[in-house]
Amino acid sequence: MTAPAAAPEAPAVPAAPTAVLVGLGAWLPPRRVPNSELCARLDTSDEWIRERIGIAERRFAEPDVSTGDMAVEAGARAMASAGADTVDAVLVATSSPDHPCPATAPWVAHRLGLPSVAAFDVAAGCSGFLYAGTVAAGLIASGTAHRVLVVGAETMTSIVDPDDRATAPIFGEGAGAVVLEAGVPHAEGAMGPVVWGSDGSLADAIVVPAGGARGRRERDRAARGDFFVHMRGNEVFRHAVRRMAAAARDAVAAAGWEMGDIDRLIAHQANQRITAAVADTLGVPVGNCPSNIHEVGNTAAASLPLLLAHAADRGDLKPGHRTLLVAFGSGLAWAATTLVWPAGLTARL
């Protein structure tokens, strides 16, 4: 009796392409605003701001410079860094868009000479850059896009009350951008698994109460301050440390790494004490946590790409460094991912 023929082996399923970091750019407004410029108006001191937040100065854009303008500058630098003259999509992460409608990204794409490409904004507060990067990675994995420009840009003076002692010293302005391109898994620069989440039950912990669809009937009677950011600082601090640490651990585990493998922790620059608390919770030495909050403040969705660019430019990020990125912000929303820092990547500032 003849044995039955063996079933043919199923063809191997090719791995989906992975988003790989190939370009990095940043732009800061030239105007430096030291703490001394704010102290008299806010009844505070340079020492208090430095000790409580970790900021010595921040950058403010001139009144005729918008979020979109800064996004164009950073985006052009990231594309030059990548040696790319075109992309398939442009994503702008921001909480301070040029207009409530339309999105800022299509105009940015137009200014960059990218007609007809898909372009849209991502609003996820200070986690917006990692959220946008995750969306870009999905576009690449699905084959919808080969190369994506992701920009984080903020004009925070448009939504921060200059007379509010609780928020005015914290925020700065600027833009950072990356180019992500289809590549193979585990390549240097490849984005690892992303861990992200949100907790809308605490949406009012960081909120601009007026100006949106909710409460629009009272818009004419709303207090001036309700059109600016309100923040419950102590509560945000507690949740930021807990959520960032948990997401970071999960992202490291999803990448198949151990916390001891981490060479650099790139954390959203919200407050130097938050970064220190997250690093301590994770057991990451403070010397492995590059920081630029001292000179740029909290730039919200622009924070992570700006820090990546500055750390790369200063040599704090070296080829082969196992890098953990983590952010937390309004929503509340958080995200974390990993990558191995690639050789040959030059940040354009």
Side-chain angles (χ1 to χ4, degrees):
M1 186 174 179
T2 305
E9 291 185 7
V13 177
T18 298
V20 178
L21 175 64
V22 297
L24 179 60
W27 189 82
L28 288 170
R31 181 187 169 198
R32 300 174 184 268
V33 181
N35 293 338
S36 58
E37 190 171 322
L38 308 178
C39 290
R41 184 176 73 247
L42 298 174
D43 188 26
T44 187
S45 67
D46 175 66
E47 293 75 17
W48 188 92
I49 297 172
R50 288 174 184 261
E51 291 175 6
R52 299 291 296 178
I53 310 172
I55 299 172
E57 66 178 24
R58 70 286 294 146
R59 301 292 185 94
F60 283 174
E62 295 302 322
D64 60 345
V65 174
S66 75
T67 294
D69 292 326
M70 292 189 288
V72 169
E73 296 288 349
R77 286 162 171 75
M79 291 179 64
S81 169
D85 57 10
T86 186
V87 298
D88 302 304
V90 176
L91 280 60
V92 174
T94 186
S95 293
S96 52
D98 285 3
H99 306 281
C101 178
T104 301
W107 183 82
V108 171
H110 164 71
R111 283 278 305 278
L112 289 171
L114 302 168
S116 304
V117 302
F120 55 94
D121 292 358
V122 175
C126 300
S127 297
F129 175 75
L130 283 186
Y131 267 61
T134 303
V135 173
L139 294 173
I140 289 170
S142 69
T144 302
H146 174 74
R147 186 184 296 130
V148 181
L149 175 65
V150 181
V151 186
E154 300 284 12
T155 310
M156 294 303 293
T157 50
S158 66
I159 58 173
V160 171
D161 185 344
D163 298 320
D164 181 6
R165 186 174 183 269
T167 57
I170 296 174
F171 293 100
E173 300 178 339
V178 299
V179 175
L180 299 175
E181 187 173 276
V184 297
H186 310 300
E188 285 192 347
M191 280 183 64
V194 176
V195 174
W196 56 352
S198 68
D199 184 356
S201 71
L202 293 167
D204 61 350
I206 308 172
V207 64
V208 178
R214 185 171 298 281
R216 61 191 179 277
R217 292 183 179 179
E218 291 77 36
R219 186 176 302 170
D220 292 342
R221 299 189 296 276
R224 171 183 174 274
D226 285 348
F227 291 90
F228 297 119
V229 170
H230 291 218
M231 182 168 63
R232 300 199 296 271
N234 290 337
E235 189 172 5
V236 169
F237 189 108
R238 292 195 304 273
H239 284 280
V241 173
R242 181 167 66 89
R243 296 293 194 179
M244 289 171 77
R249 285 196 188 97
D250 289 347
V252 167
W257 299 353
E258 302 287 340
M259 284 306 309
D261 297 331
I262 299 303
D263 297 303
R264 293 292 182 268
L265 171 63
I266 302 294
H268 164 54
Q269 301 290 281
N271 180 305
Q272 193 60 48
R273 293 185 303 137
I274 290 178
T275 301
V278 171
D280 183 64
T281 301
L282 296 175
V284 177
V286 67
N288 292 354
C289 305
S291 175
N292 63 354
I293 192 172
H294 181 78
E295 63 213 76
V296 302
N298 179 346
T299 54
S303 174
L304 281 189
L306 279 172
L307 181 55
L308 287 174
H310 292 161
D313 183 64
R314 294 166 182 170
D316 291 333
L317 280 169
K318 299 184 183 300
H321 271 166
R322 291 193 173 190
T323 305
L324 170 61
L325 293 82
V326 62
F328 175 91
S330 61
L332 298 174
W334 55 87
T337 191
T338 55
L339 59 82
V340 175
W341 196 254
L345 178 64
T346 301
R348 295 290 186 96
L349 306 180

